């Protein structure tokens, strides 16, 4: 199996970024959001926030920084 370079990974993710929300599992995103809102306290950092769906839900409860 060929190992992808960082540039190849970047190209792959860049190619799906515009339709990520359409192809991601909406139920899974909803469940993660539901759980994280329950746990969230103080300032929150979301690493790998993608399109920001979870950060958008968290922002109503606490300050969020998303990367």
């Amino acid at each position: 199996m060929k190992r992808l370079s960082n540039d190849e990974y970047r190209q792959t993710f860049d190619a799906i970024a515009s339709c990520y929300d359409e192809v991601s599992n909406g139920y899974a995103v909803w469940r993660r959001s539901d759980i994280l809102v329950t746990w969230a306290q103080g300032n929150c950092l979301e690493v790998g926030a993608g399109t920001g769906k979870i950060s958008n839900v968290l922002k109503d409860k606490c300050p969020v920084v998303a990367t």
Side-chain angles (χ1 to χ4, degrees), residues 20-21 23-36 46 53-54 57:
Y20 180 78
D21 286 339
V23 298
S24 65
N25 182 324
Y27 176 76
V29 171
W30 173 80
R31 286 295 297 143
R32 286 193 305 267
S33 298
D34 190 45
I35 291 166
L36 292 172
E46 184 179 3
K53 281 192 168 205
I54 293 174
V57 172

Side-chain angles (χ1 to χ4, degrees), residues 2-64:
K2 178 188 173 209
R3 181 177 165 92
L4 297 177
S5 69
N6 287 342
D7 192 51
E8 289 170 314
Y9 274 112
R10 182 190 55 76
Q11 290 172 356
T12 299
F13 282 98
D14 284 351
I16 64 168
S18 65
C19 64
Y20 180 78
D21 286 339
E22 296 166 19
V23 298
S24 65
N25 182 324
Y27 176 76
V29 171
W30 173 80
R31 286 295 297 143
R32 286 193 305 267
S33 298
D34 190 45
I35 291 166
L36 292 172
V37 165
T38 302
W39 293 346
Q41 313 178 25
N43 297 323
C44 292
L45 171 65
E46 184 179 3
V47 178
T51 59
K53 281 192 168 205
I54 293 174
S55 294
N56 197 39
V57 172
L58 285 174
K59 75 174 175 51
D60 293 334
K61 182 171 182 181
C62 56
V64 177

